[in-house]
Amino acid sequence: MRFAILSAFILSACTSIVPTTALRLSTISPFEADPAGFALAITMPKGFDIEPKSARLVFIVTRNDTYEARKETFVLDRIDADQTVFRVAPNDLDALRAIQAVAKQWKAESNDTNGSLGVTLTPCKLGAGPAEDARVSVAIRVKKDGPFMPLVRNAPIAAVAEQAQLHQMGNCSIVRN
């Protein structure tokens, strides 16, 4: 089971989205931002974790005048085993910069070019799993050593997964302290 965490929050947890962060993010071009600065921090409820090696950044660029599109997926490394902070894996930075270069070229050739970033991950449960009324928060950083900006505050876990998905969620393969 995989889901796109940012897309799901934007679609399902609108009342939990921090408007100032969403506004700031709307002014940042995925074509220009340095991927070495991208980081995502997830505050998860008791009984919930992210399966190791499952977090991915998805970069999509479309050029509507020629119907060209590129979609690339990059590994997100967990920075600290005790926290849920992820960043683009150092081995993927050059490949991400390469697709950004394609996106910049397309944008220079046609103003009808769009890009987006998303995050997918595989959740897993610890013990009995999260409570049905569990809450999740997400913060994002777009500049290396920059501050984390709250994107989603205290959203119901149902904003990122349906109850059926939560009940079918597998146990975590690695138990953290």
Side-chain angles (χ1 to χ4, degrees):
M1 170 179 56
R2 298 179 71 75
F3 54 84
I5 193 163
L6 294 183
S7 299
F9 276 123
I10 289 168
L11 294 174
S12 304
C14 293
T15 59
S16 300
I17 296 278
V18 177
T20 54
T21 301
L23 183 60
R24 245 193 242 163
L25 290 174
S26 72
T27 66
I28 296 169
S29 169
F31 304 162
E32 304 289 335
D34 181 8
F38 296 168
L40 185 72
I42 307 169
T43 304
M44 296 181 299
K46 182 179 178 182
F48 188 84
D49 204 347
I50 308 301
E51 192 62 47
K53 310 265 185 216
S54 73
R56 301 284 184 265
L57 176 76
V58 180
F59 185 103
I60 300 170
V61 60
T62 56
R63 184 170 168 170
N64 297 318
D65 65 331
T66 61
Y67 304 104
E68 293 175 86
R70 294 266 312 265
K71 177 181 177 182
E72 301 285 336
T73 303
F74 305 96
V75 173
L76 291 175
D77 285 341
R78 195 172 190 149
I79 295 173
D80 184 331
D82 296 329
Q83 298 178 352
T84 317
V85 178
F86 298 91
R87 68 170 178 214
V88 177
N91 291 343
D92 277 356
L93 288 172
D94 287 340
L96 180 47
R97 288 182 180 118
I99 193 172
Q100 283 181 304
V102 168
K104 284 185 228 180
Q105 178 183 344
W106 287 1
K107 186 72 170 174
E109 294 170 0
S110 170
N111 209 25
D112 202 9
T113 300
N114 300 302
S116 66
L117 294 173
V119 176
T120 64
L121 50 84
T122 302
C124 58
K125 65 181 176 180
L126 299 168
E132 288 190 21
D133 62 348
R135 313 293 284 181
V136 181
S137 294
V138 177
I140 191 163
R141 183 183 75 199
V142 293
K143 289 184 180 177
K144 193 170 186 173
D145 300 323
F148 277 92
M149 300 175 288
L151 180 61
V152 176
R153 251 192 218 131
N154 204 29
I157 199 163
V160 297
E162 297 173 7
Q163 288 302 321
Q165 290 176 311
L166 292 172
H167 292 301
Q168 295 169 3
M169 186 183 340
N171 291 324
C172 296
S173 61
I174 295 176
V175 177
R176 301 183 197 289
N177 295 335

